[in-house]
Amino acid sequence: MSEARRSRRPTAVPTTEQRPLHAPARPNAQLQRRGVERVNAILDAAEQILAADGYEAATLKAAGERAGIPVASVYHYFSDRHQVDAELMRRHVEKLETLVSGVFGDDSPPATLDSAVGAVVDLLLAYFREHPSCVELWFARRSDALAELVRAFDEAMAEQLWHFARDRGLLRPDTPLLVMQLAFEAGNRLFDVAFRVAPVTGDDAVLAEHRRLLTSYLRTYAPDASA
């Protein structure tokens, strides 16, 4: 008995130097990383199919096959194709927000109302031409989620351009925000028409009228007719 008691020595507590400097990785960290990689692979595949073959071809099954992921696993990450559409649209919206913001945060921002409108139109047009998958989702409004993402983008960018134009005297100080919101709404509709007529590049004649309509409308709110 006494020997048993003597053998029960307190366990030594490791010092700070003896303790590991980094916590061990969580058991599911590798699984989480694999899940992110699979989600991105599915999204990339869906975007490629949208660009090459159009909306009807970009099914979950087709995206999974192109990504090399079993269909059952695809449904583990996305319950339906509308979720894939929404995630792809979020990608495009985030990129466009960064690009448009850069126009007005540049060292040499547009100096006139016409050039400000033209800069935004040129940027959006170039993006749509470079990303046909975006065109497939942006204008057709195939779900409420997509329509909401486009609406939120238009409202945010309209407010940004509105502040920019008023701060630099390109629009009168009393110009309502509604004016710029309507300009973005009209611009979207005309982009839609342009890419329905010419799906790859947008119809030049419609795009010319698009610029004319927007600049003519916004000039009515400029401090003078030469803006």
Side-chain angles (χ1 to χ4, degrees):
M1 186 71 172
S2 59
E3 292 179 1
R5 286 178 181 169
R6 282 197 299 271
S7 65
R8 292 177 184 172
R9 297 178 181 176
T11 304
V13 178
T15 64
T16 303
E17 291 77 7
Q18 293 170 324
R19 290 173 188 158
L21 295 178
H22 302 287
R26 291 178 296 173
N28 62 348
Q30 186 174 358
L31 293 176
Q32 289 177 340
R33 183 167 58 252
R34 185 183 182 191
V36 171
E37 291 171 351
R38 282 192 159 193
V39 166
N40 287 330
I42 294 166
L43 293 174
D44 291 342
E47 185 164 13
Q48 292 165 10
I49 298 169
L50 275 170
D53 303 315
Y55 185 81
E56 298 303 325
T59 62
L60 275 182
K61 181 175 182 293
E65 289 175 350
R66 175 167 290 209
I69 298 172
V71 175
S73 296
V74 172
Y75 281 98
H76 175 73
Y77 302 108
F78 299 100
S79 61
D80 58 41
R81 72 162 303 161
H82 295 306
Q83 288 189 344
V84 174
D85 295 343
E87 286 303 315
L88 287 175
M89 182 64 91
R90 286 189 186 95
R91 281 183 171 185
H92 290 303
V93 165
E94 288 172 2
K95 291 176 184 176
L96 281 168
E97 285 176 344
T98 300
L99 291 170
V100 173
S101 297
V103 170
F104 305 113
D106 196 5
D107 293 336
S108 55
T112 67
L113 185 58
D114 285 9
S115 61
V117 172
V120 175
V121 170
D122 288 342
L123 187 153
L124 292 173
L125 177 59
Y127 190 89
F128 291 146
R129 285 173 170 172
E130 187 178 349
H131 299 87
S133 63
C134 182
V135 174
E136 287 288 331
L137 299 174
W138 192 279
F139 301 112
R141 308 294 174 95
R142 301 181 189 278
S143 71
D144 291 342
L146 294 184
E148 175 59 25
L149 285 166
V150 172
R151 183 197 64 77
F153 171 83
D154 281 350
E155 288 187 355
M157 295 302 99
E159 185 170 0
Q160 189 169 338
L161 181 53
W162 177 69
H163 281 298
F164 173 86
R166 292 197 317 157
D167 291 347
R168 283 163 175 73
L170 307 181
L171 291 175
R172 296 195 304 270
D174 62 346
T175 302
L177 175 57
L178 176 64
V179 168
M180 197 62 74
Q181 290 173 336
L182 291 175
F184 266 79
E185 179 68 21
N188 246 333
R189 301 285 177 154
L190 289 170
F191 267 133
D192 187 4
V193 174
F195 279 92
R196 274 192 281 119
V197 174
V200 176
T201 60
D203 183 73
D204 288 337
V206 175
L207 290 169
E209 292 304 307
H210 174 284
R211 295 173 189 276
R212 185 166 172 241
L213 183 148
L214 293 183
T215 54
S216 297
Y217 169 59
L218 290 174
R219 278 178 196 161
T220 64
Y221 289 90
D224 57 69
S226 62

